[in-house]
């Protein structure tokens, strides 16, 4: 019976090891992960508050500028006079100059706005305050961008409702806000986003950076910082998650954002995770080292258990299985554990004793089988001997000396063969010579009433069989099948070689055959079991075949198609020398 691996001690110990080790390592790793997340959330929450504070400052500055534009549009008489001076170039020019002076004075000490401008829809005239820029190309880009915008903008455009980001140069953006004066004039303000950037030292970003993001999640400042990645702008207003993670070039950033009200941009801060978790480095390294050391200790302990308990136990189970399959030479080696050393020594001693006992029992069984075979061979039917002597007596009375001589010669051959009890096997030729002596005796008893025929295939003469194997079936055939029929009683013996190195012996006659009841008992084996000492011939043959050949033999009974009985014996092909080893 094979041992289920799930029921083995090795499997249970390994499962127990993983049951302890996996949760322990998982707990340490989770603790590390939880500590890192806690630090991330705290840092993100702190920077989120800074972002909110600074975004409110930006909102206040932009709202102040928006209110100023509305006040100028409503209260400044020069704005109202512009629409009336369209046909007077000189006065129109003087009114523009006065408006620009007013705007410049207001923003003399305010750097939150880069420039203000006024646009006449009718005249398509754009004039603006001085542009603070570092290059002439940038100046042209700003001027061109504003002109294109005011010429294309519609009265219902969103530029009149909020500050909107617009790209005025490659990867450079600004916020623009428009106010409609109502007389086909637009007032506007232009603010570069780079001038609104939070100084990094103010929010303690260290190696990080800040930037603006549009509503699609695209960076509009520091555009090369994270490449083409898009941020989740929904997190700018959600309170349940204050940060998100982005990465570029093997660097990870924690991003916090806040929506600047009144604009279409979001202020964001990028904090490097490595900088943020630098204070946790030793803590995390300690946890990892503890996890690795604990895992190594558990593995060493598992190896120790395997060498001390599991391996000796497995050797013991393997040795028991070998003993079970008949390998009595199996011996166990000494173990490192004292207990298993005692068990192994006891096992070896028991195996040796059982082996010796088994050999003794086997030898006794062989002797018993040999004695039984000799006893079976000596069980000669006494009636045959008495009948033969009676026939000799009757022949002597009639003085038929030639028949008496023939009868005596056959009897001598017959009894000489049957008394060879020391022979384990005889050849087919010897057995058939004995059968001829027996049948000739029967022919002398029943003149002209018994005939026989023997067919031996080539190579079958030297095959060996137990002595007196065929005679019981010949005796039964003459005793039960011979009934003084109108034709002679004929016995046919055929011996052939089969495939797979087997010998087939078929004995048939033309007599009455087996009755249905007897044939059924013979085929089922119950006839042999119910003899109670009678009809020992067939029973002896059955037992002898079983003792000598085991399951490698077949004994079959049936009737011939026309009449008569048929017995078939199949045994392994052996020579006399091969029988000597059994």
């Amino acid at each position: 019976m094979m041992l289920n691996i799930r029921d083995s001690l090795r499997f249970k110990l390994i499962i127990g090891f993983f049951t302890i080790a996996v949760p322990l390592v998982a707990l340490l790793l989770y603790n590390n992960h939880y500590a890192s997340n806690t630090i991330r959330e705290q840092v993100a929450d702190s920077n989120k508050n800074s972002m909110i504070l600074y975004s409110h400052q930006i909102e206040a500055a932009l709202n102040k500028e928006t209110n100023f534009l509305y006040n100028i549009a409503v209260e400044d008489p020069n704005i109202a006079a512009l629409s009336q001076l369209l046909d007077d170039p000189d006065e129109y020019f003087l009114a523009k100059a006065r408006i620009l002076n007013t705007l410049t004075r207001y923003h003399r000490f305010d750097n939150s706005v880069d420039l203000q401008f006024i646009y006449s829809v009718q005249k398509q005239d754009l004039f603006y305050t001085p542009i603070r820029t570092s290059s002439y190309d940038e100046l042209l880009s700003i001027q061109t961008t504003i002109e294109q915008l005011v010429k294309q903008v519609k009265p219902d455009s969103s530029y009149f409702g909020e500050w909107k980001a617009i790209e005025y140069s490659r990867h450079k953006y600004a916020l623009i806000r428009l106010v409609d004066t109502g007389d086909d004039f637009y007032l506007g303000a232009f603010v570069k986003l780079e001038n609104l950037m939070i100084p990094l030292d103010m929010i303690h970003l260290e190696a990080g950076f800040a930037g603006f993001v549009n509503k699609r999640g695209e960076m509009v400042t520091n555009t090369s910082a994270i490449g083409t990645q898009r941020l989740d702008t929904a997190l700018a207003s959600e309170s349940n998650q204050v940060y998100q993670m982005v990465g570029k070039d093997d660097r990870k950033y924690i991003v916090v954002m806040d929506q600047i009200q009144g604009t279409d941009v979001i202020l964001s801060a990028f904090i490097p995770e490595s900088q943020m978790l630098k204070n946790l480095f030793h803590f995390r390294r300690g946890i990892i080292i503890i996890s690795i050391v604990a895992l190594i200790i558990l593995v060493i302990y598992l190896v120790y258990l395997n060498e001390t308990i599991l391996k000796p136990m497995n050797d013991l189970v393997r040795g028991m299985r070998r003993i079970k399959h008949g390998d009595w030479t199996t011996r166990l080696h000494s173990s490192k554990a004292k207990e298993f050393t005692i068990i192994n020594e006891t096992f070896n001693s028991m195996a040796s004793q059982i082996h010796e006992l088994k050999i003794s029992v086997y030898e006794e069984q062989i002797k018993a089988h040999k004695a039984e075979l000799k006893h079976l061979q000596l069980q000669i039917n006494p009636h045959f001997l008495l009948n033969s002597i009676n026939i000799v007596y009757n022949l002597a009375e009639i003085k038929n000396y030639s028949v008496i001589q023939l009868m005596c010669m056959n009897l001598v051959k017959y009894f000489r063969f049957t008394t060879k009890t020391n022979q384990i096997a005889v050849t087919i030729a010897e057995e058939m010579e004995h059968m001829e002596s027996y049948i000739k005796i029967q022919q002398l008893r029943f003149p002209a009433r018994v005939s026989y025929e023997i067919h031996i295939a080539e190579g079958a003469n030297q095959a060996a069989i137990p002595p007196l194997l065929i005679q019981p079936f010949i005796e039964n055939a003459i005793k039960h099948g011979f009934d003084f029929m109108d034709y002679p009683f004929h016995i046919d013996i055929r011996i052939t070689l089969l495939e797979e190195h087997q010998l087939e012996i078929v004995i048939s006659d033309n007599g009455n055959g087996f009755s249905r009841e007897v044939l059924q008992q013979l085929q089922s084996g119950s006839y042999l079991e119910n003899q109670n000492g009678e009809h020992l011939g067939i029973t002896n043959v059955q037992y002898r075949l079983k003792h000598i050949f085991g399951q490698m033999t077949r004994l079959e009974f049936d009737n011939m198609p026309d009449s008569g009985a048929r017995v078939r014996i199949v045994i392994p092909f052996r020579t006399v020398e091969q029988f000597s080893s059994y």
Side-chain angles (χ1 to χ4, degrees):
M1 178 179 178
M2 294 298 294
L3 180 64
N4 190 342
I5 189 173
R6 294 189 177 182
D7 297 332
S8 65
L9 183 61
R10 182 188 297 270
F11 179 80
K12 292 179 180 179
L13 284 178
I14 292 176
I15 291 299
F17 166 77
F18 282 105
T19 302
I20 296 174
V22 172
L24 178 61
V25 174
L27 179 62
L28 292 174
L29 295 177
Y30 173 76
N31 186 31
N32 187 11
H33 178 71
Y34 178 77
S36 301
N37 281 344
T38 302
I39 295 297
R40 290 190 190 97
E41 291 177 359
Q42 291 178 353
V43 172
D45 188 63
S46 175
N47 284 276
K48 177 79 171 181
N49 294 331
S50 299
M51 298 297 293
I52 292 174
L53 177 63
Y54 196 81
S55 64
H56 287 172
Q57 294 177 3
I58 296 175
E59 291 172 10
L62 295 177
N63 288 336
K64 180 181 177 182
E65 180 64 23
T66 302
N67 293 332
F68 173 74
L69 294 177
Y70 275 111
N71 290 334
I72 289 292
V74 174
E75 298 177 359
D76 194 325
N78 294 310
I79 298 295
L82 281 177
S83 60
Q84 300 174 3
L85 300 175
L86 293 176
D87 297 330
D88 189 349
D90 295 332
E91 291 297 328
Y92 179 79
F93 178 80
L94 292 174
K96 287 196 303 181
R98 289 191 292 271
I99 294 173
L100 292 177
N101 287 332
T102 301
L103 295 175
T104 301
R105 281 196 311 272
Y106 180 78
H107 290 288
R108 182 175 300 171
F109 303 104
D110 186 1
N111 295 326
S112 60
V113 177
D114 291 282
L115 66 93
Q116 296 83 25
F117 57 87
I118 302 172
Y119 177 71
S120 172
V121 178
Q122 291 184 8
K123 296 188 66 173
Q124 293 186 351
D125 181 24
L126 175 67
F127 52 99
Y128 41 82
T129 60
I131 301 175
R132 296 191 295 269
T133 181
S134 59
S135 66
Y136 180 73
D137 292 336
E138 186 178 12
L139 175 64
L140 290 179
S141 298
I142 295 174
Q143 181 179 354
T144 303
T145 300
I146 295 175
E147 288 179 352
Q148 292 176 350
L149 174 66
V150 294
K151 289 180 181 179
Q152 297 174 359
V153 73
K154 303 296 181 181
D156 58 350
S157 173
S158 58
Y159 284 94
F160 294 100
E162 64 177 0
W163 293 82
K164 294 185 68 65
I166 184 172
E167 186 175 17
Y168 65 90
S169 182
R170 181 174 176 79
H171 301 312
K172 290 186 177 181
Y173 287 80
L175 291 178
I176 292 183
R177 175 64 190 270
L178 299 179
V179 173
D180 190 355
T181 63
D183 297 325
D184 289 335
F185 281 91
Y186 299 152
L187 287 175
F190 180 94
V191 181
K192 295 179 183 179
L193 284 178
E194 61 184 15
N195 293 334
L196 293 178
M197 292 289 293
I198 304 173
L200 300 181
D201 56 347
M202 291 183 59
I203 59 173
H204 307 291
L205 292 179
E206 298 184 8
F209 59 91
F212 287 98
V213 181
N214 60 25
K215 291 186 177 180
R216 295 189 301 273
E218 301 170 343
M219 293 289 296
V220 294
T221 59
N222 291 328
T223 53
S224 61
I226 61 171
T228 59
Q229 296 184 69
R230 290 191 178 188
L231 302 177
D232 186 3
T233 57
L235 299 178
S237 59
E238 292 182 357
S239 58
N240 58 339
Q241 186 173 353
V242 297
Y243 71 93
Q244 59 183 298
M245 300 289 299
V246 296
K248 183 187 179 185
D249 299 333
D250 299 329
R251 298 193 66 183
K252 291 185 178 180
Y253 296 94
I254 293 176
V255 184
V256 293
M257 298 184 294
D258 186 63
Q259 175 72 47
I260 300 178
Q261 301 298 324
T263 71
D264 64 349
V265 294
I266 300 170
L267 184 60
S268 60
F270 295 77
I271 306 100
E273 186 183 39
S274 58
Q275 287 294 118
M276 180 194 66
L277 298 178
K278 66 179 181 179
N279 295 328
L280 283 177
F281 175 74
H282 298 292
F283 177 73
R284 295 175 65 186
R285 185 173 65 177
I287 290 180
I288 293 174
I289 292 175
I290 291 173
S291 301
I292 295 175
V293 171
L295 184 61
I296 293 174
I297 291 174
L298 288 173
V299 170
I300 293 174
Y301 182 66
L302 182 62
V303 173
Y304 172 76
L305 284 179
N306 181 67
E307 291 293 327
T308 307
I309 299 177
L310 298 181
K311 188 176 180 180
M313 185 69 71
N314 191 43
D315 292 340
L316 180 60
V317 172
R318 191 181 297 111
M320 295 174 67
R321 286 179 177 171
R322 289 178 179 175
I323 292 292
K324 180 180 178 181
H325 289 89
D327 185 4
W328 296 100
T329 60
T330 300
R331 297 295 182 268
L332 300 180
H333 301 290
S334 60
S335 174
K336 297 179 181 179
K338 181 179 179 180
E339 292 80 2
F340 276 104
T341 299
I342 297 174
I343 292 174
N344 292 348
E345 291 177 354
T346 305
F347 175 87
N348 294 338
S349 177
M350 292 177 60
S352 299
Q353 293 177 8
I354 294 174
H355 190 198
E356 293 174 0
L357 180 61
K358 190 175 182 67
I359 292 175
S360 300
V361 171
Y362 183 69
E363 290 176 349
E364 291 298 326
Q365 288 179 347
I366 292 176
K367 292 178 182 179
H369 289 166
K370 289 182 178 180
E372 184 178 0
L373 289 175
K374 290 182 179 180
H375 173 70
L376 292 174
Q377 292 176 12
L378 290 174
Q379 289 180 326
I380 305 171
N381 189 350
H383 297 289
F384 173 73
L385 177 58
L386 294 176
N387 290 335
S388 299
I389 295 174
N390 189 39
I391 292 173
V392 173
Y393 175 79
N394 292 330
L395 291 172
E397 282 189 341
I398 62 174
K399 299 179 180 181
N400 192 348
Y401 301 115
S402 60
V403 177
I404 291 175
Q405 290 175 345
L406 187 59
M407 185 73 172
C408 290
M409 184 183 64
N410 287 314
L411 283 173
V412 168
K413 290 182 180 180
Y414 175 83
F415 285 109
R416 181 183 292 119
F417 184 86
T418 56
T419 54
K420 292 180 181 180
T421 57
N422 60 332
Q423 285 187 283
I424 299 175
V426 295
T427 63
I428 289 292
E430 293 174 335
E431 181 77 4
M432 290 301 100
E433 183 180 357
H434 173 65
M435 286 299 97
E436 284 189 303
S437 299
Y438 176 79
I439 296 175
K440 287 178 180 179
I441 293 173
Q442 298 298 338
Q443 287 178 332
L444 294 174
R445 290 181 60 193
F446 308 104
R449 303 300 302 171
V450 177
S451 64
Y452 71 94
E453 189 174 0
I454 299 174
H455 300 276
I456 303 175
E458 183 180 356
N461 263 326
Q462 298 304 315
I465 60 174
L468 301 177
L469 180 68
I470 302 175
Q471 179 184 331
F473 301 104
I474 304 298
E475 289 181 359
N476 283 339
I478 294 175
K479 181 178 180 180
H480 299 288
F482 177 56
D483 195 17
F484 294 98
M485 303 171 291
D486 295 336
Y487 46 86
F489 181 75
H490 183 74
I491 299 172
D492 185 81
I493 303 173
R494 295 182 179 271
I495 302 174
T496 57
L497 296 176
L498 302 179
E499 295 179 357
E500 299 180 358
H501 217 57
Q502 289 183 323
L503 183 70
E504 180 188 52
I505 303 172
V506 179
I507 306 161
S508 60
D509 60 64
N510 62 347
N512 297 324
F514 299 111
S515 64
R516 180 178 299 177
E517 180 180 357
V518 172
L519 181 60
Q520 185 177 1
Q521 292 177 350
L522 287 171
Q523 290 176 343
S524 63
S526 59
Y527 179 83
L528 302 176
E529 297 174 0
N530 299 327
Q531 292 309 305
N532 297 325
E534 298 181 0
H535 308 290
L536 290 176
I538 298 177
T539 305
N540 285 349
V541 171
Q542 179 76 4
Y543 286 150
R544 290 164 67 194
L545 291 176
K546 179 179 179 182
H547 284 312
I548 297 173
F549 301 107
Q551 301 298 324
M552 296 186 294
T553 182
R554 294 198 301 273
L555 178 59
E556 302 172 355
F557 303 89
D558 59 3
N559 286 324
M560 300 290 287
D562 298 330
S563 63
R566 180 177 180 271
V567 179
R568 180 173 180 262
I569 303 172
V570 179
I571 60 175
F573 180 91
R574 290 178 185 169
T575 63
V576 176
E577 291 77 11
Q578 290 174 325
F579 261 93
S580 63
S581 60
Y582 293 89

